[in-house]
Amino acid sequence: MHSIKKSLRWMALSLAAAGGLAACGGDDGPLYRTLDGMPPIVIGHRGASGELPEHTLESYLRAIEQGAQCIEPDLVMTKDGYLIARHEPMLDDTTDVAEKFPASRKRTMNVDGELITAYFASDFTLAEIKTLRAKQPRANRPQQFNGLYSIPTIEEVVALAKQESARRGRTICVYPELKHSTFHAREAGFGANVFEDKLLAVLHAAYGNSQSAPVFIQSFEVGNLQYLRTKTQMKLVQLIDADDVNDDGSIKLAPPYHKPYDFVVKGDPRTFADLLKPEGLALIKTYADGVGPWKPYLVRTVQDGVDRNGDGKVTINDRRVVGSTGVIEAAHAQGLFVHTWTFRNDASGYGFSDPKAEMQYYMRLGVDGVFTDFPATGVAAVAGL
């Protein structure tokens, strides 16, 4: 769940809907169009990362305080085999590693087909990681918290969720993402499924091996989820990515966001878009409980020549959203829930400024959950349906 470019374009596009959908529910049907008829859940994307540095205990706690049902730690592995919460294996953009370690600790590694030179978590022990402090990677977000917060392990994130669940009298789920499993197995040299096994060891010890555990495990790759299905009953989620959106509103598929990276390695021709076709969803149902598509996959748009953002020209950002692509309905028909991403208050460019309305649009289509950097807005969106 990466690109700022994506968020800027699609917050605008989604909010350009003329009129919107009819309200859910009424005398003739359920209040919500979710798979289970319950309200959609709000997932604190990297915590409350719009306000505090992402993937810190403080950011997760802020998300919980704002009412998020789940907190999302992206996970990477340290040199000595600990799982820590970072968005990528590279530490450069989200920590002060460059201030604390010499440039000689950098190296060039293949991350999903791209050669990247950086400080990699897999070259640092947990003790070294604990000397680092988090920083805000987005320049348009608060920078005054840089250098204050440490990098947590998955054990610390789980402990926080359990502590706050008990203290607040409501269950707070953890929603870990296994980041770049193929990278960890091959490039970082940990071996096949070591990453996955370490995560399960922590989660099973904390919650037991149960589908009812307050846990969702997600990945953009497929093989690791298929492996996990043989080892756990916990809920699994297949993430669906893309590179961008074309000017005609269609999904743009380009490396490295065109297909699961384990498909690239195996020479599998199927793309992320193929996984949302009926046969793809049927495959996902054999190993996962839900899908997590990037939100443009879920809405249809038309270009009707209206300059909605008033910039004097008609571009993709002026397209009108006209309803569902059918992906939500097809996933639900397979018994798969749909959690979509990412909603951001500060990505409402092109003249649009109502992120709550954007989330409500997707909720009224029937999504079962939303990832947002601003959980308070997501909670307000659900409350206002």
Side-chain angles (χ1 to χ4, degrees):
M1 299 157 195
H2 38 273
S3 168
I4 299 174
K5 167 184 65 176
K6 296 178 181 180
S7 302
L8 286 169
R9 299 182 82 180
W10 275 88
M11 169 125 357
L13 216 167
S14 297
L15 291 177
L21 299 180
C24 300
D27 294 338
D28 299 324
L31 181 59
Y32 304 102
R33 296 175 183 166
T34 52
L35 181 62
D36 60 6
M38 298 296 289
I41 65 171
V42 175
I43 305 143
H45 183 241
R46 313 180 199 175
S49 56
E51 300 180 20
L52 295 174
E54 64 187 41
H55 295 310
T56 60
L57 293 180
E58 291 77 10
S59 181
Y60 298 133
L61 180 59
R62 180 69 59 86
I64 293 167
E65 291 170 343
Q66 292 181 351
Q69 285 91 353
C70 299
I71 52 176
E72 185 224 19
D74 295 330
L75 299 176
V76 300
M77 195 148 51
T78 67
K79 183 177 182 178
D80 46 351
Y82 289 91
L83 304 188
I84 60 170
R86 289 293 87 193
H87 182 239
E88 296 289 352
M90 298 78 75
L91 301 170
D92 306 51
D93 291 340
T94 64
T95 76
D96 58 359
V97 64
E99 300 171 22
K100 304 228 173 119
F101 290 92
S104 59
R105 293 293 296 271
K106 290 185 178 185
R107 66 164 158 157
T108 301
M109 300 181 79
N110 180 343
V111 183
D112 290 6
E114 293 188 300
L115 291 179
I116 296 176
T117 301
Y119 294 96
F120 284 89
S122 54
D123 290 332
F124 290 78
T125 66
L126 180 62
E128 290 177 314
I129 293 292
K130 284 297 186 180
T131 69
L132 304 180
R133 293 296 178 265
K135 67 180 184 181
Q136 173 59 255
R138 297 170 185 260
N140 64 322
R141 291 182 173 177
Q143 301 292 313
Q144 65 265 36
F145 305 104
N146 292 349
L148 299 181
Y149 309 136
S150 65
I151 313 305
T153 64
I154 182 58
E155 289 90 346
E156 291 174 307
V157 177
V158 167
L160 175 69
K162 296 186 80 168
Q163 168 194 301
E164 293 300 312
S165 294
R167 190 164 78 85
R168 298 170 187 274
R170 65 181 179 90
T171 301
I172 296 150
C173 86
V174 292
Y175 207 129
E177 180 184 345
L178 288 159
K179 298 293 294 192
H180 306 286
S181 282
T182 296
F183 165 85
H184 281 93
R186 295 161 59 107
E187 191 78 0
F190 290 109
N193 302 126
V194 171
F195 194 15
E196 290 74 19
D197 288 341
K198 285 182 177 290
L199 176 59
L200 286 188
V202 173
L203 296 178
H204 285 175
Y207 297 108
N209 183 4
S210 170
Q211 188 179 44
S212 63
V215 175
F216 299 87
I217 304 173
Q218 57 179 331
S219 177
F220 283 107
E221 297 192 24
V222 173
N224 58 352
L225 292 175
Q226 291 173 324
Y227 171 80
L228 286 169
R229 183 79 295 156
T230 70
K231 301 292 182 180
T232 188
Q233 297 179 51
M234 289 179 164
K235 295 177 286 293
L236 305 179
V237 183
Q238 178 66 64
L239 296 172
I240 306 292
D241 208 352
D243 178 62
D244 205 339
V245 179
N246 295 310
D247 288 343
D248 64 358
S250 62
I251 297 294
K252 179 182 177 182
L253 295 169
Y257 310 116
H258 59 318
K259 61 174 64 177
Y261 189 62
D262 56 326
F263 279 16
V264 174
V265 170
K266 296 173 183 175
D268 192 315
R270 291 173 295 179
T271 67
F272 279 117
D274 290 326
L275 291 178
L276 292 180
K277 294 176 180 177
E279 58 272 24
L281 291 169
L283 170 66
I284 291 171
K285 181 60 179 176
T286 65
Y287 61 86
D289 303 277
V291 291
W294 182 37
K295 58 191 178 182
Y297 279 106
L298 305 182
V299 294
R300 293 186 299 112
T301 68
V302 297
Q303 181 60 270
D304 55 10
V306 177
D307 177 16
R308 287 185 168 77
N309 60 9
D311 65 355
K313 54 187 177 181
V314 176
T315 69
I316 184 175
N317 306 309
D318 300 299
R319 295 181 70 86
R320 179 164 57 92
V321 178
V322 293
S324 174
T325 58
V327 167
I328 299 169
E329 295 82 355
H332 284 176
Q334 287 284 352
L336 296 165
F337 57 75
V338 180
H339 295 165
T340 191
W341 49 274
T342 302
F343 296 88
R344 298 182 169 103
N345 291 13
D346 55 5
S348 53
Y350 314 112
F352 297 96
S353 58
D354 192 349
K356 184 177 85 168
E358 183 199 19
M359 277 189 272
Q360 287 180 323
Y361 191 91
Y362 283 82
M363 290 172 180
R364 289 176 178 136
L365 287 178
V367 297
D368 302 276
V370 294
F371 288 85
T372 175
D373 293 1
F374 297 85
T377 304
V379 171
V382 176
L385 286 174

